[in-house]
Amino acid sequence: MLSVEERRNYLEITRKHSLRLGRLISDLFELSKLEAASIKPQMEQFSLAELLQDVTQEFALEAERKGITLNVAGDPKSSVVHADISLVQRVLENLLRNAVKYTPVGGSVTVTVRPSPQSVAVSVADTGCGIAEKDLERVFDRFYRSEQDDPAPTDSAGLGLAIVRKILDLHGSQITVSSEIDAGTTFAFDLPVAQAA
Ligand SMILES: Nc1ncnc2c1ncn2[C@@H]1O[C@H](COP(=O)(O)OP(=O)(O)O)[C@@H](O)[C@H]1O
Ligand SMILES: [Mg+2]
């Protein structure tokens, strides 16, 4: 007979496995839909201010728990883009999830948005562990995860950045990364602005 305590432990393990599996399946599903072009971006005009407010809110608790400062810089209010809002939300979520995950206690994560006449430049910078030069190109490959990552199965499958790249591709944009080991990583991309009528 299992004790109440043991039963609770098994249930907790099962719960974590199903959460992880659920995430893996939805990531796989999303990436394959994006690649099969069965997702057509629903372009609309919106300001990044509110979206950033929502997305940083999602990570506020986790950042606080880890003692990480989450900043928004630049000029979000004047950053009006012409893009698919839920896809851009996915991009920001995937980048922020990584930034918070790979940044140690006491670090910071900063999202900067800078409007220009042709586009809005967005970057997500962290003061985390960094990415080795030789891995920089491969981080966008599906299923790629760095070797120094925990070899045990975690909540990640290496699909987050592949999804980010594909979504930006659908917006005619490209993501770039620069990084320094033990100093931090910055991901940057441009979003289109609506053409003047
Ligand atoms: N901000 C970051 N700092 C350091 N390494 C990162 C960062 N973002 C991504 N990486 C590296 O890129 C790999 C791929 O990222 P991603 O596609 O989101 O997959 P996952 O988060 O599921 O491992 C990660 O496993 C990690 O090694
Ligand atoms: Mg990730």
Side-chain angles (χ1 to χ4, degrees):
M1 257 298 254
L2 292 175
S3 69
V4 172
E5 180 72 3
E6 284 170 322
R7 246 180 275 177
R8 210 172 273 148
N9 275 339
Y10 281 123
L11 269 180
E12 180 55 18
I13 292 170
T14 310
R15 192 185 66 89
K16 281 195 178 139
H17 277 286
S18 21
L19 275 178
R20 190 182 301 147
L21 198 56
R23 260 190 303 254
L24 173 61
I25 290 169
S26 61
D27 276 0
L28 269 173
F29 216 43
E30 178 165 26
L31 186 60
S32 58
K33 277 193 293 187
L34 285 165
E35 296 198 326
S38 57
I39 294 181
K40 290 265 172 291
Q42 303 293 308
M43 303 299 252
E44 58 178 308
Q45 199 162 320
F46 62 93
S47 153
L48 283 178
E50 240 173 87
L51 180 60
L52 275 172
Q53 167 86 36
D54 289 352
V55 176
T56 50
Q57 191 71 41
E58 275 178 62
F59 294 94
L61 202 73
E62 202 188 334
E64 194 184 288
R65 236 182 342 107
K66 279 192 78 179
I68 294 171
T69 321
L70 249 181
N71 312 300
V72 175
D75 190 1
K77 285 219 174 73
S78 321
S79 295
V80 177
V81 298
H82 185 69
D84 182 312
I85 190 166
S86 49
L87 292 179
V88 173
Q89 177 169 355
R90 274 299 265 165
V91 166
L92 292 167
E93 285 169 347
N94 287 359
L95 293 176
L96 277 172
R97 185 171 301 118
N98 284 345
V100 170
K101 174 158 136 193
Y102 295 106
T103 298
V105 178
S108 65
V109 173
T110 306
V111 185
T112 307
V113 288
R114 291 202 189 288
S116 77
Q118 298 80 29
S119 59
V120 172
V122 183
S123 67
V124 177
D126 65 59
T127 61
C129 62
I131 302 168
E133 172 106 53
K134 65 168 176 52
D135 295 331
L136 277 182
E137 278 304 307
R138 293 197 296 158
V139 292
F140 299 106
D141 294 349
R142 64 183 70 175
F143 302 119
Y144 175 79
R145 303 177 53 225
S146 80
E147 298 135 31
Q148 83 236 26
D149 274 0
D150 187 348
T154 62
D155 62 340
S156 71
L159 290 172
L161 288 176
I163 291 171
V164 164
R165 182 170 62 178
K166 189 67 210 174
I167 289 174
L168 290 172
D169 195 42
L170 292 174
H171 287 82
S173 180
Q174 270 191 330
I175 181 141
T176 59
V177 58
S178 64
S179 187
E180 202 180 316
I181 287 290
D182 291 334
T185 304
T186 301
F187 288 92
F189 57 92
D190 289 338
L191 287 175
V193 300
Q195 309 86 321

